[in-house]
Amino acid sequence: MTTASQTTASSTQTEQRFDDRVAIVTGAGNGLGRNHALQLAARGARVVVNDFGGGRDGAGASTAAAQAVVDEIVAAGGQAIADGANVCDPDAVQAMAQRALDTWGRIDILINNAGILRDKSFAKMSADDFNAVVDVHLLGAANCARAVWPTMRAQEYGRILMTSSTSGVFGNFGQANYGAAKTALIGLMNVLHLEGLRYGIKVNALLPTAATRMTAELFDADSLRALDPSFVTPAALFLVGEAAPSRTALLAGAGTYARLAVVETEGVYLPPDQRTPEQIAAHFDEIASLDKILETPEGFAHVSRILTRAKQAEGRA
Ligand code: NAD
């Protein structure tokens, strides 16, 4: 049943539009990226649909998947171009950004979405399996961000979205490579957020759960229906919209939208003679307790907090 307040909330909202905005969506030939690209275009954005069309493990290359999405956008009256850059290739990524500039004169939005899997238990994971996954997810995202950064700074406007994953921030068996790369993107978000702030560049992260070729074998038919990628895309569009927050990581899937928070516990201050492993063990429950948690806006804020606490405890404040 729809309540009165729900009706009021939805009827007073204006549609979020992307008219005159130029977006690059990587890995947009399939799955989530395809959905993001279609929805951005439907709301007025001009979209570079990037996909090198490889297999789920990163093998092979073709622009056919990206071109099919472009055809769909154009048939619906939108504007899009296909690009086959491998996000691991910095020169190809620079060329992709240049194509966007040559075609439309600006780049407002980058959605780093391209991804591959090479799941194996760590005991069986070769260095190549590890590096290939880090290369696409982490270095690929950094390559793309680097390619659009000068333009976004000069425009004093930009939105960058990292696609992270619960596989890393919470952990999933058999995904050491993927989990490490996906969690590194939270670090990249944190730092680019700080560096982009004064230029109007907002940097966020999405932790999706969706039925795509990446997850097809993990779920039963009922769960796959509940996990339609179209339920994730609204969170992505919110995070790259005009009114986007910054340094915000949203979990999205099956109709649930939540925020991932990285917090520190208040912890304990130990005087010099108690700074031993035995005292850490003795205080561990208090150190680990979530009763008092803090969300720290940047690394130096943590450093400042512990130094202030030490000064106060030692009577130097
Ligand atoms: P998908 O396999 O359907 O789509 C990924 C796309 O990225 C493919 O079209 C592929 O060709 C493209 N791609 C791969 N490597 C590339 C490269 N080097 N350069 C350019 N394109 C490349 O998978 P998906 O589920 O839609 O995943 C999209 C993103 O969401 C990925 O980053 C994935 O890790 C992340 N993710 C997905 C889920 C989920 O539940 N589906 C969960 C967490 C995170």
Side-chain angles (χ1 to χ4, degrees):
M1 197 178 74
T2 308
T3 65
S5 64
Q6 280 171 328
T7 310
T8 311
S10 56
S11 57
T12 54
Q13 280 171 2
T14 51
E15 186 193 6
Q16 191 181 323
R17 296 286 308 174
F18 291 90
D19 302 301
D20 302 325
R21 295 293 179 201
V22 175
I24 296 175
V25 185
T26 69
N30 290 289
L32 285 162
R34 173 178 175 275
N35 237 285
H36 300 338
L38 291 172
Q39 287 305 314
L40 281 167
R43 288 168 181 262
R46 293 162 285 181
V47 185
V48 177
V49 178
N50 161 267
D51 206 299
F52 86 147
R56 209 172 67 158
D57 63 353
S62 149
T63 52
Q67 190 57 51
V69 176
V70 168
D71 293 346
E72 214 175 316
I73 289 172
V74 171
Q79 294 183 60
I81 53 173
D83 186 279
N86 177 345
V87 295
C88 303
D89 177 347
D91 292 339
V93 167
Q94 286 289 346
M96 169 174 72
Q98 193 56 51
R99 279 188 69 209
L101 288 174
D102 292 345
T103 311
W104 293 308
R106 51 188 299 125
I107 304 168
D108 301 289
I109 296 166
L110 165 66
I111 299 186
N112 279 315
N113 167 83
I116 61 167
L117 286 179
R118 291 205 190 171
D119 293 358
K120 277 182 190 123
S121 66
F122 193 57
K124 294 184 186 143
M125 189 177 283
S126 67
D128 184 51
D129 287 333
F130 198 98
N131 297 349
V133 169
V134 171
D135 206 14
V136 176
H137 291 279
L138 175 59
L139 303 187
N143 287 337
C144 293
R146 192 181 302 106
V148 303
W149 197 253
T151 300
M152 289 184 174
R153 273 174 52 132
Q155 290 169 179
E156 300 198 340
Y157 185 94
R159 300 285 182 267
I160 298 178
L161 184 65
M162 310 294 177
T163 307
S164 181
S165 174
T166 56
S167 302
V169 297
F170 302 139
N172 267 350
F173 190 95
Q175 296 195 308
N177 48 5
Y178 184 77
K182 286 306 205 186
T183 305
L185 290 171
I186 299 290
L188 186 60
M189 169 191 78
N190 286 335
V191 176
L192 294 191
H193 152 76
L194 289 171
E195 296 189 10
L197 215 47
R198 80 181 76 155
Y199 301 105
I201 303 173
K202 296 186 175 176
V203 189
N204 294 301
L206 180 69
L207 293 83
T209 304
T212 65
R213 67 180 194 172
M214 213 177 245
T215 53
E217 296 113 48
L218 298 180
F219 302 109
D220 60 27
D222 193 43
S223 303
L224 289 173
R225 265 191 301 278
L227 291 169
D228 193 284
S230 66
F231 306 144
V232 170
T233 294
L237 266 55
F238 167 70
L239 291 172
V240 299
E242 302 290 319
S246 193
R247 198 203 192 214
T248 295
L250 290 185
L251 301 128
T256 291
Y257 306 91
R259 183 170 74 93
L260 176 82
V262 177
V263 297
E264 56 178 315
T265 65
E266 190 183 53
V268 296
Y269 169 82
L270 295 178
D273 62 342
Q274 289 183 30
R275 293 170 191 170
T276 62
E278 293 76 15
Q279 285 297 325
I280 302 286
H283 288 88
F284 186 67
D285 286 350
E286 208 183 333
I287 290 170
S289 166
L290 290 171
D291 284 350
K292 284 189 187 161
I293 52 170
L294 305 161
E295 209 173 350
T296 306
E298 61 175 302
F300 279 118
H302 167 81
V303 177
S304 166
R305 185 174 78 83
I306 58 174
L307 288 175
T308 303
R309 192 176 188 180
K311 268 189 195 164
Q312 284 167 348
E314 292 156 19
R316 294 183 286 118

